[in-house]
Amino acid sequence: AQSVTQLDSQVPVFEEAPVELRCNYSSSVSVYLFWYVQYPNQGLQLLLKYLSGSTLVKGINGFEAEFNKSQTSFHLRKPSVHISDTAEYFCAVVKRGYQKVTFGIGTKLQVIP
Amino acid sequence: GAVVSQHPSWVICKSGTSVKIECRSLDFQATTMFWYRQFPKQSLMLMATSNEGSKATYEQGVEKDKFLINHASLTLSTLTVTSAHPEDSSFYICSAPPDSGQGYGYTFGSGTRLTVV
């Protein structure tokens, strides 16, 4: 079975500073990788996804992530954060050919003005 | 893009009553719907998978008789929390996989905050 580890439960960062949210996964087979954002009392919104091809994936709101197969990582980055980026971010993995999604525990990004 | 409409957004009910949560796919047909539960400060835990035209598949440890799932049509899936108790208070989210099932990104409902008093 696949698993997802988000190493940081909370990440405080000043506004306009860069941020990296870490995600590592383990799986014995090929997977698809996702990052989702959840604002308070809301559902999840897809930020970006890696299916195949280029390992650098660009998503919405200026976020990007890089798939590193050798390190089994899919870290999320943004060069300059805004107050509105304050939310919880979930890394997720889906085993290719299947539909069930496995989520990480989430990382709360707190942008400090 | 694909949209899943989930209602209600929040509900408060008395202990012992039942609550129904609906998820509708608005512009596509969802033959499958996943139901998740999210506890405070925790990730989403898959409860069950509903399939149109067949019985739902429940994850280990989830009470089938308590969490009734019905996939009435290709655009509607419901979760009914029966005889709710305070420990059932949680955030419930539904999700539909993409039509092709190829992992292009799952569409989530906006969630339902259930509080049982």
Side-chain angles (χ1 to χ4, degrees):
Chain A
Q2 61 271 23
S3 67
V4 179
T5 302
Q6 290 183 247
L7 298 168
D8 306 298
S9 59
Q10 293 190 54
V11 174
V13 62
F14 286 104
E15 192 174 15
E16 297 184 3
V19 70
E20 179 179 80
L21 306 183
R22 297 181 291 171
C23 172
N24 287 88
Y25 70 94
S26 67
S27 176
S28 57
V29 298
S30 296
V31 296
Y32 300 125
L33 295 157
F34 305 84
W35 273 100
Y36 287 90
V37 59
Q38 184 182 33
Y39 297 101
N41 292 314
Q42 293 188 29
L44 275 69
Q45 181 182 3
L46 180 66
L47 272 179
L48 48 78
K49 57 184 180 284
Y50 172 78
L51 306 181
S52 64
S54 174
T55 56
L56 183 62
V57 180
K58 293 189 183 296
I60 62 171
N61 301 342
F63 284 93
E64 65 179 31
E66 185 157 20
F67 169 59
N68 188 319
K69 188 175 182 179
S70 62
Q71 297 185 6
T72 60
S73 67
F74 191 56
H75 300 333
L76 180 70
R77 296 191 290 259
K78 186 169 182 178
S80 175
V81 294
H82 191 265
I83 293 290
S84 59
D85 293 323
T86 295
E88 190 151 20
Y89 293 79
F90 291 93
C91 182
V93 61
V94 174
K95 194 164 58 173
R96 294 196 181 200
Y98 293 82
Q99 291 186 330
K100 288 185 180 180
V101 183
T102 300
F103 289 92
I105 199 168
T107 297
K108 284 195 174 181
L109 174 63
Q110 179 68 46
V111 180
I112 305 164
Chain B
V3 175
V4 172
S5 176
Q6 183 172 348
H7 293 281
S9 300
W10 58 271
V11 58
I12 302 173
C13 70
K14 289 184 179 180
S15 186
T17 62
S18 295
V19 174
K20 179 184 282 189
I21 301 170
E22 291 189 349
C23 278
R24 294 180 182 272
S25 55
L26 296 187
D27 50 2
F28 68 101
Q29 293 182 333
T31 56
T32 300
M33 193 75 75
F34 298 104
W35 287 93
Y36 294 88
R37 183 175 181 177
Q38 185 179 30
F39 290 101
K41 300 183 180 180
Q42 293 189 31
S43 188
L44 286 78
M45 300 301 296
L46 180 64
M47 297 174 64
T49 304
S50 72
N51 299 288
E52 191 271 338
S54 63
K55 289 184 178 180
T57 304
Y58 290 82
E59 297 299 303
Q60 193 172 7
V62 177
E63 298 178 62
K64 300 179 182 181
D65 295 333
K66 182 165 194 61
F67 299 100
L68 299 180
I69 289 175
N70 182 33
H71 204 118
S73 71
L74 288 172
T75 59
L76 175 64
S77 177
T78 60
L79 166 66
T80 302
V81 184
T82 63
S83 186
H85 290 285
E87 57 265 30
D88 298 324
S89 298
S90 190
F91 194 59
Y92 295 86
I93 307 177
C94 61
S95 171
D99 288 347
S100 65
Q102 293 301 308
Y104 296 139
Y106 294 66
T107 303
F108 286 82
S110 55
T112 298
R113 171 74 60 192
L114 170 62
T115 302
V116 185
V117 298

